[in-house]
Amino acid sequence: RYYDMGENAFEDLFADLERAKKYVFIEFFIVAEGAIWDKMHDILKRKIEEGVEVKFLYDDFGALLRTSTDFAQKLRAEGFEVEVFNPIHKYTSKLFMNFRDHQKILVIDGEVAYTGGFNIADEYANLVDRFGIWKDEGVRLKGDVVWSMVVTFLELWAVCSKNEAIDYERYRAEKTSIQSDMYCHVLRDGPALDTRSFVGSMYKQMIHYAGEKMYVMTPYLILEEAMIETLLEAVRRGVDVRILMPGIPDKKIIFRMSHSYYQELLDAGVKIYEYQPGFLHAKSFVCDDEIGVVGTINLDYRSLYLHFEDGVWIYRNRVIYDIKKDFTDTLEYCNPVSLEFCRGRNIAVRAMQSILRLFAPML
């Protein structure tokens, strides 16, 4: 099931948590204390009292300013199993502090899983206004694909807990009788898996094989030369390439850097639009009504090379049309970016953007 807004995902997610019988795995980049966390916390505490095992993994950088200093200790006292990815205070003098856990995974009893762009914070459900309307996405999975989400979670959990003796099989759900025409495949990537970007290669292959259309939603657009050339080649052979970006940024420097790529893409025929009601945080691809990708992966160096990321590759089924409909519906709230806008930027802005692009691999 595809969700076109974060708040729609939370409604089903909380209902599924209430049905948990054996275990719950939770992994998020950002955790912020507030209404969303309070509701999730209350459900999980009750489940722990019922004997449900709860493993909670979150990124230290993502939660640093949004939770109390004793957040993990309090949860452990309540019966949560908690691990913190790459604690900042341990690595302040080391470059691998830059590696972050950007995955968003929630698994219940090995039977249901969620992933997408949303984190555990009130802005993702539009309960607070940070940058206008927060546009996000997500998916709910059932069936055999959930096992891949279980393994993806446990592998990073084992690294953080230094536990190499996890019995993965005890978390495998019994075979179900789900009948579906859907094929989907869990994607995962990260700096410990390969120095190359698996997801970047997959995106380039999707663009390379696109015949008619390639629709992309991404909050950041910081592209390596190979990705730029792949996009331009697609346009040259007649593919309709459209990219939706936020109109209101969450990070102004990254937003300015993303603008520095606009003119080259527009000159070649790529169409770029900016979401006017607020911040577009969704990360999705649609290729020729046949292939879709939904997950945590941004089109920037950080997602492709420095973060642990996950997503779902979906092939030839009705959910592709849900993702495409979300794209076309969102397009109604976007303004097209023109070449005149790019050419009309003053020389100081262009100079700043050129300088910023030198640091693109680090941002």
Side-chain angles (χ1 to χ4, degrees):
R1 183 180 302 168
Y2 176 75
Y3 301 100
D4 59 1
M5 294 291 283
E7 52 262 43
N8 299 334
F10 283 116
E11 184 177 346
D12 283 355
L13 187 152
F14 290 140
D16 282 330
L17 283 176
E18 292 281 9
R19 291 189 281 268
K21 301 295 184 189
K22 300 175 182 177
Y23 70 85
V24 177
F25 294 162
I26 307 169
E27 178 182 356
F28 283 89
F29 176 60
I30 291 175
V31 180
E33 292 174 297
I36 290 293
W37 167 245
D38 287 346
K39 185 167 184 178
M40 182 179 287
H41 183 218
D42 287 344
I43 296 171
L44 293 172
K45 281 197 300 182
R46 281 192 282 105
K47 288 296 161 181
I48 289 171
E49 290 169 0
E50 294 171 11
V52 174
E53 175 186 350
V54 177
K55 293 184 184 296
F56 187 21
L57 171 63
Y58 65 90
D59 187 90
D60 196 34
F61 184 83
L64 183 64
L65 301 177
R66 310 291 299 273
T67 57
S68 59
T69 55
D70 58 350
F71 182 70
Q73 293 92 316
K74 285 181 177 178
L75 293 180
R76 291 184 182 116
E78 293 170 345
F80 288 73
E81 295 180 49
V82 181
E83 294 295 340
V84 182
F85 180 86
N86 211 359
I88 290 174
H89 71 276
K90 291 176 66 175
Y91 306 119
T92 50
S93 63
K94 297 179 175 62
L95 288 176
F96 52 81
M97 182 186 73
N98 213 17
F99 298 153
R100 307 310 326 171
D101 177 12
H102 198 242
Q103 295 182 164
K104 288 97 175 170
I105 295 172
L106 191 141
V107 180
I108 300 161
D109 294 341
E111 297 179 353
V112 179
Y114 289 81
T115 192
F118 62 90
N119 284 287
I120 304 175
D122 289 354
E123 62 266 29
Y124 294 88
N126 282 299
L127 298 179
V128 296
D129 182 351
R130 290 193 69 198
F131 309 104
I133 295 175
W134 194 289
K135 162 66 181 156
D136 225 311
E137 43 69 46
V139 286
R140 178 182 186 269
L141 306 168
K142 292 190 73 175
D144 293 338
V145 70
V146 177
W147 173 243
S148 297
M149 280 293 188
V150 170
V151 173
T152 300
F153 173 88
L154 285 175
E155 287 189 339
L156 211 53
W157 176 270
V159 171
C160 295
S161 64
K162 298 181 176 55
N163 185 347
E164 299 178 1
I166 294 176
D167 179 8
Y168 284 46
E169 287 298 323
R170 77 177 268 246
Y171 297 107
R172 189 191 287 270
E174 295 181 9
K175 284 287 184 181
T176 63
S177 58
I178 291 175
Q179 298 296 315
S180 174
D181 64 349
M182 179 183 299
Y183 177 80
C184 53
H185 188 90
V186 171
L187 307 170
R188 58 185 182 138
D189 205 354
L193 302 178
D194 201 323
T195 54
R196 298 165 296 180
S197 172
F198 159 71
V199 171
S201 297
M202 179 207 64
Y203 279 158
K204 282 179 277 195
Q205 288 184 51
M206 285 175 61
I207 299 166
H208 178 74
Y209 286 107
E212 296 180 2
K213 62 176 75 75
M214 192 78 210
Y215 294 165
V216 180
M217 284 197 277
T218 180
Y220 315 117
L221 192 67
I222 300 175
L223 306 174
E224 58 185 352
E225 289 302 317
M227 186 71 75
I228 293 172
E229 186 55 33
T230 305
L231 288 167
L232 300 191
E233 284 180 357
V235 174
R236 287 194 285 266
R237 66 175 185 270
V239 179
D240 180 11
V241 179
R242 303 187 183 200
I243 300 173
L244 299 194
M245 289 280 294
I248 300 175
D250 67 334
K251 302 177 181 69
K252 291 183 179 180
I253 290 178
I254 305 300
F255 190 58
R256 293 294 185 191
M257 187 182 296
S258 295
H259 277 182
S260 72
Y261 293 86
Y262 280 9
Q263 185 166 343
E264 182 178 3
L265 296 173
L266 291 168
D267 269 329
V270 175
K271 301 178 184 74
I272 302 174
Y273 305 83
E274 290 186 345
Y275 178 67
Q276 296 305 300
F279 181 56
L280 184 146
H281 190 251
K283 311 103 167 28
S284 62
F285 272 59
V286 177
C287 177
D288 290 343
D289 297 341
E290 288 197 337
I291 300 171
V293 174
V294 178
T296 71
I297 309 148
N298 300 315
L299 269 184
D300 62 6
Y301 283 91
R302 182 161 288 281
S303 273
L304 298 182
Y305 293 101
L306 299 175
H307 281 169
F308 288 86
E309 303 278 3
D310 78 271
V312 182
W313 188 89
I314 306 165
Y315 184 63
R316 285 187 176 175
N317 63 79
R318 59 175 177 76
V319 175
I320 303 296
Y321 297 98
D322 295 337
I323 303 169
K324 180 187 172 185
K325 184 178 185 302
D326 182 28
F327 186 96
T328 55
D329 288 349
T330 304
L331 199 59
E332 297 293 319
Y333 299 94
C334 297
N335 286 344
V337 180
S338 66
L339 273 170
E340 288 71 27
F341 163 77
C342 297
R343 291 168 180 161
R345 292 171 296 176
N346 66 55
I347 192 167
V349 170
R350 292 194 206 183
M352 177 190 70
Q353 290 174 337
S354 296
I355 293 169
L356 286 173
R357 279 182 67 161
L358 296 173
F359 298 94
M362 295 182 285
L363 295 177

